Amino acid sequence: MATTKINEVTEFLETLAPRSLQESYDNSGLLTGNPESEVTGILVTLDCLEDIVEEAIRLKNNLIVTHHPILFRGLKKLTGATYVERTVIKAIKHDIAIYAVHTNLDNVLEGVNKKIAERIGLVRLSILDPKRDTLMKLVTFIPTPHAEPVIEALNEAGAGNIGHYKNCSFRITGTGTFQPNEQARPHIGTKGKLEKVEEVRAELIFPRHLESRIMSALKKSHPYEEVAYFLSRLDNENQEAGAGLIGELSTPEEPMEFLKRLKITMNTSCIRHSAFLGSPVKKVAICGGAGSFLLPKAIASGADVFVSSDFKYHEFFDGEGKIMIADIGHFESEQFTKELLQEVLKQNFSNFAINFSETVTNPISYL
Ligand SMILES: [Zn+2]
């Protein structure tokens, strides 16, 4: 049977949640283990604790895919004095790889928040706080008969996607000039002679993490020995990447009805919320995990409710009567992330087991 290396799994996960989209304070990626090892099975979890490593050992799974990174603040010694040290020591002793996909999974459309939106029943989703400086522009010059296949190759590599539109490009025809020297092996033209060729100037936008893929697609498909191009970083908002989501309910609901339903669908035993606005809930902003930093964006988006977690007492005042805050608990808001990870992994890998951790890692109980 075909074997799969750990780095094949992590590379696949990074096509969904590119590591470059993680926040600066985060530590997503492979935390322990040899990326070249063969995968014997995957255990998916929200938190990687000692019990989870035990579970992986029992199941003979040598890769743990976790949302929260167990190594977050850095370690200066490994004596087993804390749960973090003990978890890491146990994983290393048993050759278990730990891979965390944290804020990069928060910052993509098909990530943590998508799962919450699905459960609440939100439609017309968009990123609440789109990231900047994650997009690039490619301008290239292609001899006219080759323009179509080159642009197609660029589209296939992931260039030209803008929101709900794909294959976006801008093209204009003009004249390109060049003079090959003695060392050149020109596709068109003669050494030492100035050439004038009809060329298409094509412009396409793409996400920064695809740069090497796009550039190799360009060089492979372009007929010229020396491909002329300009690459630039863009300050545009990236509609595909950023924190939180905003969406709408297909039918507006009274605030109390909405909260009661939220409690059931998000499987939480407690919702801490601020005052009702006095109008039905239609627009809903969401952010799995600690999301109070997004409150100003949620208010600016015109949302009626902001569903998130980890709000402090004083932060509940910051809604200013413009939005209802619904704090459903950190674990509760992200608990379905495990399902998301298991689903996408199962769709792509079938030669080993992908297990769903049975251990409840929520450290908080409600009396
Ligand atoms: Zn979290």
Side-chain angles (χ1 to χ4, degrees):
M1 202 200 276
T3 57
T4 303
K5 286 181 180 176
I6 284 173
N7 59 17
E8 292 174 59
V9 175
T10 60
E11 276 164 22
F12 162 70
L13 287 170
E14 284 167 27
T15 60
L16 298 175
R19 244 183 329 143
S20 59
L21 291 181
Q22 69 178 306
E23 298 300 329
S24 55
Y25 58 80
D26 197 8
N27 193 33
S28 288
L30 191 64
L31 305 180
T32 68
N34 181 351
E36 295 292 327
S37 296
E38 188 187 314
V39 179
T40 60
I42 301 179
L43 183 63
V44 179
T45 182
L46 188 66
D47 302 282
C48 182
L49 307 171
E50 269 186 284
D51 286 352
I52 301 287
V53 179
E54 293 277 6
E55 202 178 341
I57 297 167
R58 248 187 349 262
L59 294 166
K60 297 192 168 53
N61 294 165
N62 67 346
L63 172 59
I64 296 173
V65 173
T66 176
H67 179 49
H68 295 132
I70 179 77
L71 286 173
F72 196 61
R73 294 184 186 88
L75 290 178
K76 288 203 169 178
K77 47 186 175 300
L78 270 170
T79 61
T82 66
Y83 78 95
V84 173
E85 292 176 28
R86 288 192 296 278
T87 304
V88 173
I89 290 169
K90 186 164 278 180
I92 292 172
K93 271 189 174 170
H94 290 86
D95 252 333
I96 291 190
I98 302 174
Y99 180 82
V101 51
H102 187 211
T103 51
N104 41 335
L105 193 62
D106 291 326
N107 283 335
V108 290
L109 263 177
E110 300 292 319
V112 173
N113 295 314
K114 177 74 182 293
K115 211 70 200 160
I116 304 172
E118 259 173 36
R119 301 209 52 112
I120 302 180
L122 298 181
V123 292
R124 282 186 284 283
L125 300 175
S126 55
I127 299 273
L128 181 59
D129 186 17
K131 274 189 178 292
R132 290 178 182 275
D133 199 24
T134 58
L135 292 170
M136 296 190 84
K137 185 175 86 164
L138 168 70
V139 178
T140 187
F141 306 86
I142 318 159
T144 303
H146 293 265
E148 215 53 59
V150 171
I151 295 169
E152 251 171 51
L154 293 169
N155 287 151
E156 229 158 81
N161 294 327
I162 305 176
H164 296 300
Y165 297 82
K166 62 178 197 173
N167 300 337
C168 306
S169 66
F170 177 78
R171 308 152 187 216
I172 190 165
T173 306
T175 306
T177 67
F178 53 85
Q179 183 169 334
N181 71 10
E182 277 314 305
Q183 281 81 46
R185 289 186 298 136
H187 170 73
I188 307 171
T190 319
K191 292 177 184 182
K193 186 171 168 266
L194 181 71
E195 291 296 330
K196 288 186 179 174
V197 177
E198 190 191 280
E199 290 178 351
V200 170
R201 174 189 166 116
E203 308 192 23
L204 296 99
I205 206 168
F206 65 87
R208 213 168 72 200
H209 66 268
L210 295 181
E211 183 181 335
S212 59
R213 217 166 93 185
I214 305 281
M215 291 316 294
S216 82
L218 174 66
K219 287 176 181 164
K220 241 190 206 158
S221 60
H222 199 292
Y224 283 0
E225 186 179 26
E226 297 293 347
V227 179
Y229 65 89
F230 305 136
L231 263 187
S232 40
R233 286 167 80 141
L234 298 178
D235 198 32
N236 300 32
E237 286 187 341
N238 185 345
Q239 298 171 48
E240 310 272 323
L245 279 188
I246 175 103
E248 287 175 17
L249 296 173
S250 358
T251 323
E253 263 175 319
E254 287 307 313
M256 183 56 92
E257 293 315 306
F258 174 78
L259 290 180
K260 280 184 177 166
R261 194 171 61 82
L262 185 65
K263 197 173 169 187
I264 296 165
T265 51
M266 291 308 293
N267 191 27
T268 176
S269 42
C270 173
I271 296 180
R272 300 189 304 145
H273 64 91
S274 58
F276 294 168
L277 293 188
S279 54
V281 174
K282 170 85 177 157
K283 238 179 161 183
V284 181
I286 54 176
C287 178
S292 60
F293 72 101
L294 278 178
L295 183 64
K297 295 279 176 188
I299 295 172
S301 74
D304 305 302
V305 188
F306 182 35
V307 178
S308 189
S309 76
D310 289 356
F311 272 82
K312 292 180 186 166
Y313 174 78
H314 289 283
E315 289 170 342
F316 280 90
F317 291 110
D318 296 336
E320 297 267 17
K322 293 177 187 149
I323 197 166
M324 175 170 72
I325 296 164
D327 184 330
I328 61 171
H330 193 128
F331 175 89
E332 289 77 2
S333 71
E334 294 183 326
Q335 62 189 311
F336 303 106
T337 305
K338 283 203 289 189
E339 282 176 14
L340 169 84
L341 289 168
Q342 196 194 32
E343 280 162 20
V344 294
L345 287 166
K346 274 195 166 165
Q347 281 163 15
N348 274 272
F349 301 99
S350 55
N351 51 340
F352 46 78
I354 296 156
N355 292 299
F356 195 79
S357 161
E358 298 294 337
T359 313
V360 177
T361 56
N362 190 1
I364 301 168
S365 302
Y366 303 97
L367 187 65

